[in-house]
Amino acid sequence: MGTIWFWIVALMLTAYVVFDGFDLGVGAVYLWVARTESERSQALRSIGPVWDGNEVWLIAAGGTLFFAFPLLYATAFSGFYLPLMIVLWLIILRGISIELRGHSSDPLWRTFFEALFCVSSALLTVFFGAALANVVRGVPIGADGYFFLPLWTDFRTGDNPGILDWYTVLGGVTALTALSLHGVLYLAMKTQGNVEERAMQLSKYAWIATAVLSATGIPATILARPASLTHYLSHPIAFIFPFMAFACLVVLRFSLSKGLQFSCFLASCGYLSSMFLGAAFGIFPVILPSVGIHGKDLTIDQALSAPHTLRVGLVWWSVGICLAVMYFCIVYRLFRGKVSVDDASYEH
Amino acid sequence: MNALTLDRIQFAFTITYHYLFPQLTMGLALLIVILKTLAFRTSEADVAQNYDSSARFWGKLFAINFLIGVVTGIPMEFQFGTNWAEFSRRTGGVIGMPLAMEGIFSFFLESAFLGLLLFGEKRLSRRMHWLSAFLVFLGSWISGFFIIVTNAFMQHPVGYRMLSNGQFEVTSFQDLLLNPWAWLEYAHNMCAAVVTASFFMSAVGALYLLQRREGPYGRTFLRIGVIAGIISCTAQVFPTGDLHGKYMAKHQPMAIAAMEGLFHSEKGAGMVLLGQPNYETETIDNPLVVNKVLSFLIYGTTSAEVEGLDQFPKDQWPSTLPLLFYSYHIMVGLGTWFGALTGFSALLLWRGKLYSSRWVLWPILLSWPLPYIATTAGWMTTEIGRQPWLVYGLIRTSQGYSSHVTASNGLFTLLGFLGIYSLLSFLWVILVYNHVQSGPPVADRDRAIALTA
């Protein structure tokens, strides 16, 4: 049962990375790809009807984590207190900047909200990348089962790490480039004209950066957390994840040179999913690894809710997720196709 | 201030602020469905156009409030883990369930169909667009239900058992969802949401009539607002408020005694209309009391004995007793005003005199913020009434917080929220003011008809 719920939460978070990933990425590259007033609103219209729904994956995954693994929720959320609060503030600022840009007629305020959207999106991707790297590296869980991390200590991954050290910063930067790539590919697929052209150009550089950083990421992970390698070696089937990520990158490059935009975007989805699930596999069956002398890893079994709760949960979760997927299909189908520069039908 | 106090202030502040937005959007979602239904059912193109533009106007206002509701709601879910870790560890297996269900069953529904409602009018058939409005309404009301189920468990825990390590486990999923407290609280709360939205809508209508704007919108908004207002205000008092009060008297008698300012048990207890509870002398200063009413309201007979605060150990009294008393009285006092105002407006509407009675339009215009105050006071009544418990009778508030998050970190994030929420308030005022001032299109009506034709 624990294994099922571990993968349920991991899959929901993967859905979050893939879906909200592209609108975060659009935000991060937005100021470069879209230059004029109409190009910027074109870029925003491409995510307008969907970004809010994409964000729901995070809330739903959070809720699922809360009831399936209450101990993990309590430990991790209070331990990552400061970065989580900063994430919340960034989510708030990002959300209002999208909405308010559409409601401001003054060019000065539009520029301000555009910049706010770009900065908050970029910072969020960095934080999410760093957060994932924190979980992979491990945290100093104390004897009482709790921990508290400062924002940074000495930038080393020792017994006394902070939220930010060299490894988690690397994770953050990798996330920024990977999601920027994801975002430009989405923009290329959904827009026409100058935005599409610039997005296609930028995607080539973003691809190189992502490929280089992912290649660095693997030895870095082994260095920061040697246990992940042992786990992979004892279950060689897991090498399918890095292999898939590599294959997707190759397919992506090939599709880029052929100009196949949809296939590029799909390959990027595949790359992100493989990377994320590969990281999840690296820690399984631990759910929050620990570093330092006191620490004992927090495992799935310790953090899990009672069996009856989980059985009932599995029933409604399955029904609910089918409905959610159906809504997603309806919305994405209805808003399929490219957004032109002056298409008013996306306005509200 | 210690960490516990700061955590309490932060949660109270963020949730009070958050709930200013959903109470409007949940009510508005219903009113938008009504507007869309009226548009759908009428055969006159002009009238249908009027209702459709009205729905579009309120849809945009909905979107602004929905967005702020969403972004201020995400911190609520997070704060269970960040600031109330021990509470989450022990009860996560129970209260996490309705919270996760809210995410999966209502947020996906709401966000997907809100996208269709706002962006899809030209891509969807009229029937599908109506359906989108309906599903947004359904999603927001389901969402409210799951939140109330969560709160009801904290007020009146059912369907659980406690394990040896202090953790809670759900024993009956049905009992958790069918908690009578939840259904009573939900009914009372949703009436309040409709009151807020209908007062907002009538106020905008009254504003347009007072400004002597051309076009039919002033009258439409006022009419729908007043009719929805009189129905929801009535249902707010009877049966929902009455039943909720009676159930509360049975299960949280101490909270009722504190709300009513009843320090000593009494037969044929009276209802205090005005006064200040004096904690030292255990009496009410400057009381204005109606005899025997309280006994009647709770037990249905004027002679029944009502338990006073003296029946309970002092260390279990709500820690902020006067605040509880005042919030309850503000709620009831404003509720009385709402009943009087909507009742009188409805009478004038029925007689066909409302649109021209400018002396009534003024109070309707100025009353729009009052439901927000009443709802906030109502929430404070429930939540302070529960103190000093986090889960009534089982976990004290002082046992639930994240003890290893220091007070200085708590203060830092509290200040952060204060700053960001002030910014949000400022932006909200500008956005809503501009939107209401520009109003639905009147001059462009012919163009609008041509576009949708």
Side-chain angles (χ1 to χ4, degrees), chain A residues 40-98:
Chain A
R40 287 194 176 155
S41 62
Q42 180 194 9
L44 274 186
R45 283 201 304 268
S46 74
I47 58 167
V50 295
W51 73 270
D52 186 35
N54 294 341
E55 212 159 71
V56 173
W57 283 103
L58 180 68
I59 309 172
T64 310
L65 187 71
F66 188 17
F67 105 91
F69 300 102
L71 181 58
L72 171 70
Y73 197 80
T75 307
F77 274 56
S78 58
F80 291 128
Y81 187 79
L82 291 173
L84 279 177
M85 290 292 175
I86 295 172
V87 161
L88 287 174
W89 300 340
L90 288 171
I91 289 178
I92 294 175
L93 291 175
R94 177 170 180 270
I96 59 167
S97 63
I98 301 180

Side-chain angles (χ1 to χ4, degrees), chain A residues 70 74, chain B residues 85-94 162 165-169 394-396 399:
Chain B
E86 190 54 24
F87 168 64
S88 298
R89 182 186 76 80
R90 291 181 61 184
T91 64
V94 180
M162 211 196 290
N165 61 0
Q167 273 184 299
F168 287 59
E169 178 190 337
L394 299 170
I395 303 180
R396 278 183 177 260
Q399 295 167 334

Side-chain angles (χ1 to χ4, degrees), chain B residues 370-431:
Chain B
L370 301 181
Y372 286 102
I373 299 175
T375 309
T376 305
W379 268 110
M380 284 171 70
T381 309
T382 342
E383 297 300 278
I384 299 171
R386 196 191 64 222
Q387 296 299 333
W389 301 103
L390 202 47
V391 180
Y392 196 77
L394 299 170
I395 303 180
R396 278 183 177 260
T397 308
S398 54
Q399 295 167 334
Y401 76 116
S402 306
S403 53
H404 51 288
V405 174
T406 58
S408 58
N409 282 313
L411 185 63
F412 168 70
T413 56
L414 175 62
L415 293 175
F417 278 113
L418 279 170
I420 289 195
Y421 286 4
S422 316
L423 176 75
L424 285 184
S425 311
F426 173 71
L427 294 169
W428 184 87
V429 169
I430 294 181
L431 279 178

Side-chain angles (χ1 to χ4, degrees), chain B residues 323-346:
Chain B
L323 197 56
L324 177 59
F325 176 87
Y326 292 127
S327 25
Y328 172 70
H329 280 78
I330 289 171
M331 175 183 83
V332 173
L334 286 176
T336 313
W337 164 245
F338 299 158
L341 182 66
T342 50
F344 189 68
S345 318

Side-chain angles (χ1 to χ4, degrees), chain B residues 153-233:
Chain B
F153 180 82
M154 293 164 70
Q155 296 283 354
H156 181 58
V158 291
Y160 71 97
R161 110 189 136 91
M162 211 196 290
L163 305 174
S164 55
N165 61 0
Q167 273 184 299
F168 287 59
E169 178 190 337
V170 177
T171 51
S172 166
F173 183 59
Q174 286 84 348
D175 287 357
L176 184 71
L177 292 189
L178 298 177
N179 188 347
W181 188 293
W183 286 88
L184 292 168
E185 192 179 334
Y186 181 63
H188 192 56
N189 186 69
M190 296 322 276
C191 286
V194 180
V195 170
T196 304
S198 49
F199 268 64
F200 208 99
M201 192 175 274
S202 344
V204 175
L207 175 75
Y208 289 174
L209 290 174
L210 286 169
Q211 288 177 332
R212 302 188 197 280
R213 287 208 194 193
E214 57 169 321
Y217 299 110
R219 291 166 179 231
T220 308
F221 296 170
L222 189 62
R223 188 173 69 246
I224 293 176
V226 165
I227 295 173
I230 180 94
I231 297 172
S232 54
C233 284

